[in-house]
């Protein structure tokens, strides 16, 4: 646990049903006059969806805009280069991202190459950015990555299939918007995948070597909220209470990992996502029980705490037995929301595991994992995730 730490999050965060109506006035307050909207085609076309509601508020506030709708899942270098050109061609002075993690990462990446050099692959790492990004507002539409709150920008190099992270306080948006009603139209599979990402982002900081007492509380509350609400959000996507709790969980988990960092689950998931263009939340969910069983011996008492947070009865159990119940509960939640059991279902190929393991250990999320692994141990974890039935 760190004794001295900083704590990062956006300076302003709007939360609750209907808050999206405030975005126009807030854009004016941060001196945006013409903004680049970074989103995807699905959200842009959605009737009365997040994009339409954002544009309505901008129109009312007299803020002009242009739309880049080319964001792909696991956003690519080409996406941010295209968005940068739209920004420059239209003399924009700010960026508003609308979507889940892909849109927010694409918007951050666009801002990075606008002010810190065109080759973002050279900026991978921690605190590599020398210059501020253009003003950035994030409108979130999934209870998942929490990228609207964090300093992480995750981009895929489509040429090398490597997913890399640019971590910097300069990436934290000025303002975030989390309106649970914007998530009513999210498909079931995406709700499950992003919800499991929220779950993982509450678990990994709790066992991270960079944790602190503030993030511990955030993690435990986030886990309780996921346990209470994810199954219902997947089963009934228009249950406002479930959606609201999942947004609360996502925000708490995002604040936690933004400051306590993550671990091997994310380091390995980035390799799966980059290599096979697989959904990030699904990658994380499949790896979670396998990686955390590996981690368990490093801090069994922490996993016993997680079992309690997940609603497991540990009365009369040893710490190790209680910790084992936490791992079982992780897998049970995966099963309940329909997550595949094996990375084979994502197109994984064992011939890639050596390179993926090597890159996972270089990933910025690997350094705070509670148990240190060799390259061969990471290969074995990938293999376990492949062989799972």
């Amino acid at each position: 646990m760190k004794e001295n730490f900083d704590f990062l999050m956006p300076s302003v965060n709007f939360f609750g049903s209907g808050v999206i109506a405030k975005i126009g006035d807030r854009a004016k307050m941060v001196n945006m006059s013409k903004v680049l909207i970074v989103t995807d085609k699905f959200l842009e076309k959605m009737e009365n969806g997040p994009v339409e509601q954002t544009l309505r508020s901008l129109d009312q506030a007299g803020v002009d805009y242009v739309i880049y709708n080319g964001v792909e899942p696991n956003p690519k270098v080409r996406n941010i280069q295209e968005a940068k050109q739209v920004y420059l061609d239209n003399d924009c002075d700010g960026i508003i991202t609308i979507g889940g993690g892909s849109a927010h990462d694409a918007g951050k990446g666009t801002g990075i190459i606008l002010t810190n050099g065109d080759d973002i692959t050279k900026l991978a790492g921690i605190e590599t950015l020398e210059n501020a990004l253009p003003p950035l507002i994030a409108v979130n539409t999934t209870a998942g990555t929490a990228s609207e709150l964090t300093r992480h920008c995750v981009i895929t190099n489509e040429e090398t299939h490597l997913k890399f992270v640019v971590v910097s306080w300069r990436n934290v948006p000025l303002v975030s918007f989390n309106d649970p009603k914007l998530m009513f139209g999210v498909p079931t599979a995406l709700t499950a995948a992003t919800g499991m990402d929220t779950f993982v982002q509450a678990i990994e900081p709790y066992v991270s070597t960079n944790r602190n007492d503030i993030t511990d509380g955030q993690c435990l509350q986030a886990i309780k909220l996921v346990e209470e609400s994810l199954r219902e959000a997947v089963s009934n996507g228009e249950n406002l209470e479930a959606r609201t709790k999942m947004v609360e969980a996502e925000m708490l988990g995002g604040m936690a990992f933004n400051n306590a960092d993550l671990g091997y689950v994310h380091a390995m998931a980035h390799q799966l996502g980059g290599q096979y263009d697989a959904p990030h939340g699904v990658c994380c969910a499949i790896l979670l029980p396998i990686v955390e069983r590996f981690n368990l011996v490093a801090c069994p008492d922490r996993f016993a705490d997680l079992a309690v947070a997940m609603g497991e009865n540990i009365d009369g159990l040893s710490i190790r037995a209680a910790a084992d119940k936490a791992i079982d509960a992780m897998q049970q939640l995966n099963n309940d929301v329909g997550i595949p059991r094996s990375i084979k279902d994502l197109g994984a190929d064992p011939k890639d595991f050596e390179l993926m393991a090597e890159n996972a250990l270089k990933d910025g999320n690997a350094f705070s994992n509670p148990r240190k692994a060799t390259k061969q141990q990471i290969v074995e974890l990938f293999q376990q995730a492949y062989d799972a039935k």
Side-chain angles (χ1 to χ4, degrees), residues 114-230:
L114 278 164
T115 58
N116 287 273
D118 196 54
D119 188 355
I120 195 171
T121 64
K122 294 180 178 178
L123 297 169
I126 299 174
E127 297 304 345
T128 61
L129 305 183
E130 296 183 359
N131 302 312
L133 278 60
L136 177 63
I137 293 176
V139 178
N140 196 39
T141 65
T142 65
T145 67
S147 185
E148 81 281 5
L149 300 172
T150 72
R151 58 187 177 135
H152 297 69
C153 171
V154 186
I155 301 293
T156 298
N157 184 335
E158 59 269 35
E159 295 180 1
T160 63
H161 301 289
L162 181 65
K163 204 169 187 179
F164 60 92
V165 187
V166 182
V167 182
S168 174
W169 67 274
R170 297 186 185 280
N171 286 333
V172 180
L174 296 177
V175 188
S176 78
F177 282 82
N178 267 294
D179 185 336
K181 284 189 175 179
L182 297 182
M183 301 174 190
F184 279 4
V186 176
T188 297
L190 184 57
T191 298
T194 56
M196 287 306 299
D197 193 19
T198 289
F199 189 57
V200 175
Q201 288 170 174
I203 288 172
E204 286 205 284
Y206 192 75
V207 298
S208 163
T209 57
N210 289 334
R211 65 185 184 269
N212 60 67
D213 287 340
I214 296 173
T215 59
D216 278 357
Q218 292 170 325
C219 290
L220 293 175
Q221 180 63 15
I223 290 165
K224 290 176 183 177
L225 288 166
V226 172
E227 278 288 339
E228 291 172 6
S229 57
L230 179 56

Side-chain angles (χ1 to χ4, degrees), residues 367-388:
F367 303 104
S368 49
N369 197 72
R371 180 182 177 189
K372 302 310 172 189
T374 64
K375 175 182 169 182
Q376 186 54 41
Q377 286 174 316
I378 299 295
V379 170
E380 290 169 1
L381 292 174
F382 276 126
Q383 190 66 50
Q384 288 178 37
Y386 184 85
D387 293 335

Side-chain angles (χ1 to χ4, degrees), residues 99 235-236:
S235 301
N236 178 8

Side-chain angles (χ1 to χ4, degrees), residues 1 7 9 21 40 49-50 53 67 78 182 215 238 265 291 334 336 362 383:
M1 179 186 294
F7 196 90
M9 61 182 292
D40 60 48
Q53 292 185 51
I67 299 175
R78 63 173 172 261
L182 297 182
T215 59
E238 295 197 3
V265 176
V291 172
N334 270 348
D336 289 349
K362 296 176 183 175
Q383 190 66 50

